Amino acid sequence: MIGNKYLQVLFKCPDEDTSLNQLLELLKSKDMKFIDSLTHKPVNTNFCKDVEIEYLTKASALIDYHLQLHFIEVPSWLRDDKLSFKKPYYHSRRISDFDKVKLLYTSPAPFSARNVYFDLDGIKRV
């Protein structure tokens, strides 16, 4: 079980794209209740199912990236070794091999450390 109520609700969303978009909105708006919950209600990956770990791996890359952009301390649990993929994961379903290689070499550390690749233009909020 994820444990953090915000992340648990996002995980239970039936559509992952919608869930990740909601997560990005929380991060972009710097929702301090959410951000504080990351420190005060950390996730213990030892109690998470594989499907939760998969979701948290994607989410932790986005969270880590945004916290660093806003100069907010990143809670240590977000960098748990369990929160990374063995093979590269590309979030975009329509991505060319060339774009995959480009993402491998141009993605910021929070993404490459987890082997999770998002198109940075695709995760911008207006």
Side-chain angles (χ1 to χ4, degrees):
M1 179 152 171
I2 290 177
N4 178 291
K5 70 177 183 178
Y6 288 94
L7 293 173
Q8 186 69 39
V9 167
L10 291 169
F11 168 73
K12 287 186 176 186
C13 184
D15 180 64
E16 185 177 84
D17 288 336
T18 300
S19 172
L20 293 175
N21 276 316
Q22 290 175 340
L23 172 62
L24 289 168
E25 289 299 325
L26 289 169
L27 294 166
K28 175 68 177 177
S29 67
K30 296 182 200 163
D31 185 305
M32 289 314 293
K33 286 183 181 179
F34 170 67
I35 292 171
D36 288 343
S37 81
L38 298 173
T39 300
H40 300 301
K41 296 287 185 180
V43 172
N44 185 339
T45 57
N46 293 322
F47 299 118
C48 293
K49 299 174 186 170
D50 289 343
V51 67
E52 292 171 324
I53 293 290
E54 184 177 321
Y55 176 79
L56 287 170
T57 300
K58 299 168 196 175
S60 68
L62 293 168
I63 294 168
D64 191 339
Y65 175 69
H66 278 275
L67 292 181
Q68 286 187 49
L69 282 179
H70 299 298
F71 303 101
I72 299 171
E73 186 175 345
V74 178
S76 60
W77 72 265
L78 283 165
R79 294 182 176 159
D80 186 320
D81 290 339
K82 289 183 183 179
L83 299 177
S84 66
F85 293 123
K86 291 180 181 163
K87 294 181 180 180
Y89 167 82
Y90 302 95
H91 188 68
S92 176
R93 290 175 177 86
R94 295 181 207 123
I95 186 168
S96 70
D97 289 342
F98 176 78
D99 287 332
K100 287 179 181 179
V101 171
K102 182 179 171 187
L103 284 174
L104 283 172
Y105 289 100
T106 62
S107 290
F111 300 111
S112 58
R114 291 171 181 84
N115 226 359
V116 174
Y117 300 96
F118 288 90
D119 177 4
L120 294 181
D121 289 331
I123 63 171
K124 285 184 184 173
R125 305 316 302 141
V126 183

